[in-house]
Amino acid sequence: IVAKTRTPEFARHAAGAIPSGLEVPNETAHPNFLVVDFGICTEGGNLRPRLIELQAFPSLFGFQLLLLGCMRKAYPAIPRNWTSSFGGMQDDDYLKLLRRTILADSRAENVVLLEIEPAKQKTRVERGRQLFYQRAGREVRIERIYNRVIFDELLRRPDLHPPFSFQEELDVVWVGHPNWYFRISKHSLPFLKAAHTARAFFANEFPAAESPGDFVLKPLYSFAGLGVDMEPTREKLEALTNPHEWILQQKVHYAEFVPTPEGPKSKAEIRMMFVWPDNEPEPILVNNLVRMSQGKMMGVDFNKDKTWVGSSIALHQRGS
């Protein structure tokens, strides 16, 4: 699936992925981060992965390492040769790779995390296209931006007034360039056809012979399950203002297979997490994240008052 996003055919498909007015200058040659979500489904009595979504956006790369450390401390019986990482990567190697991707040749103080109100961080433009922030009474130049801003969330916050525009020509390097958030996203799903994908169509291209009830209707540019319609109809499709900004993805049947102490088994998705430093020829699979659910969908909003749900991590024997 990741290999298919690196073809000329995919580049042509992704060329129209960015909404008007949101394209950011100085796009990098490739994304620095890529995550691919598979639902664990039941097919013919067996467990099978099915592609649910993918995104060129930084996920919880640091937190998953911290989580594994906490699990080892709480459950010392976990064998040391069981790991969440891939390719024989040790913890120190993992951290070095993240540093190389995020910091590169810059000092840590010249790299900032950009997120919506992480700590009401103050950043301002000065001296042409350069960005600075205040630290201990002095101005520190920003050379690289580790970007975790989701445009959909930003656009729904008119109360926020960023001190610079993403569309400006800034003298910074984006670590996780914002354009890739759109290019590799739900917009990619109709293009991707492989053994573990589900059929997907843009709403304006949905075949007349198909039944909408067999599909899930998703907005292209939202996150955390916002706007998803599990029961679409022809009438709903005809009522869409911008049908090219919606997709229909064939429904899959999540397996209820994770035993819990309280009885009901949980469903799960597994996120495969890739890092792609600037000077590497290919993305590197480094870690995973598991999301569990007992609701109709994944996510906090669909699992309120439920237990044995939420984020976790999958372990496998090193070298297997």
Side-chain angles (χ1 to χ4, degrees):
I1 288 172
V2 172
K4 288 180 180 293
T5 67
R6 302 178 59 208
T7 64
E9 293 79 10
F10 179 82
R12 289 192 290 271
H13 173 85
I18 303 174
S20 176
L22 295 184
E23 189 162 1
V24 177
N26 304 314
E27 183 174 325
T28 53
H30 58 74
N32 293 117
F33 306 97
L34 182 62
V35 296
V36 185
D37 294 346
F38 292 94
I40 308 303
C41 302
T42 302
E43 295 179 8
N46 298 313
L47 298 179
R48 292 283 186 270
R50 282 287 171 193
L51 177 66
I52 302 300
E53 289 188 11
L54 72 167
Q55 197 88 55
F57 192 73
S59 186
L60 302 178
F61 286 93
F63 181 80
Q64 289 305 94
L65 182 62
L66 175 65
L67 175 61
L68 179 57
C70 292
M71 290 177 63
R72 290 194 185 282
K73 186 175 181 179
Y75 305 104
I78 297 175
R80 296 301 302 181
N81 64 331
W82 284 76
T83 181
S84 63
S85 61
F86 299 91
M89 187 174 294
Q90 303 288 337
D91 290 354
D92 287 346
D93 300 326
Y94 182 69
L95 290 173
K96 287 177 182 177
L97 180 60
L98 287 181
R99 289 192 186 100
R100 181 155 61 93
T101 304
I102 298 171
L103 300 183
D105 296 326
S106 294
R107 298 170 60 189
E109 72 168 12
N110 298 116
V111 181
V112 298
L113 166 67
L114 190 63
E115 195 165 349
I116 294 180
E117 293 188 311
K120 297 187 182 295
Q121 179 175 288
K122 299 295 184 182
T123 304
R124 63 190 181 89
V125 181
E126 187 175 286
R127 302 174 202 148
R129 303 188 306 170
Q130 295 182 347
L131 291 178
F132 295 80
Y133 72 96
Q134 291 285 337
R135 180 175 184 177
R138 63 189 180 95
E139 290 186 342
V140 179
R141 167 84 187 280
I142 297 173
E143 298 174 0
R144 297 170 68 84
I145 295 177
Y146 178 40
N147 180 53
R148 278 187 46 85
V149 170
I150 297 174
F151 274 117
D152 178 68
E153 185 178 8
L154 184 61
L155 294 174
R156 289 188 289 105
R157 292 289 305 274
D159 57 306
L160 297 179
H161 303 284
F164 68 92
S165 168
F166 280 71
Q167 283 66 51
E168 291 182 56
E169 285 276 358
L170 299 173
D171 188 10
V172 297
V173 174
W174 293 95
V175 186
H177 193 284
N179 289 353
W180 286 107
Y181 172 81
F182 297 109
R183 297 205 190 282
I184 299 181
S185 64
K186 287 191 286 288
H187 185 276
S188 311
L189 295 176
F191 174 87
L192 296 171
K193 296 176 176 62
H196 298 295
T197 59
R199 291 185 303 149
F201 304 92
F202 291 108
N204 61 317
E205 299 174 355
F206 190 65
E210 297 285 354
S211 171
D214 295 332
F215 291 76
V216 178
L217 180 63
K218 298 180 177 182
L220 288 182
Y221 308 120
S222 70
F223 71 107
L226 295 176
V228 172
D229 188 340
M230 299 294 291
E231 303 298 336
T233 63
R234 285 285 174 185
E235 290 74 21
K236 290 179 180 179
L237 298 186
E238 292 169 1
L240 294 175
T241 304
N242 298 303
H244 62 284
E245 294 184 355
W246 295 76
I247 64 164
L248 289 108
Q249 184 180 31
Q250 190 173 24
K251 289 179 179 177
V252 297
H253 299 284
Y254 281 80
E256 298 178 2
F257 74 104
V258 182
T260 71
E262 298 178 2
K265 294 183 178 180
S266 294
K267 297 171 282 190
E269 284 182 0
I270 184 165
R271 170 170 293 177
M272 309 303 284
M273 303 165 64
F274 295 79
V275 171
W276 197 347
D278 293 336
N279 57 351
E280 288 289 339
E282 297 181 355
I284 302 167
L285 178 61
V286 294
N287 212 337
N288 76 80
L289 180 152
V290 171
R291 302 168 71 199
M292 295 194 297
S293 171
Q294 292 192 6
K296 199 169 186 178
M297 290 177 58
M298 295 288 167
V300 175
D301 290 341
F302 306 96
N303 285 276
K304 293 178 179 178
D305 302 321
K306 299 182 185 296
T307 57
W308 299 99
V309 298
S311 179
S312 186
I313 197 166
L315 304 182
H316 59 271
Q317 192 169 358
R318 195 181 300 277
S320 62

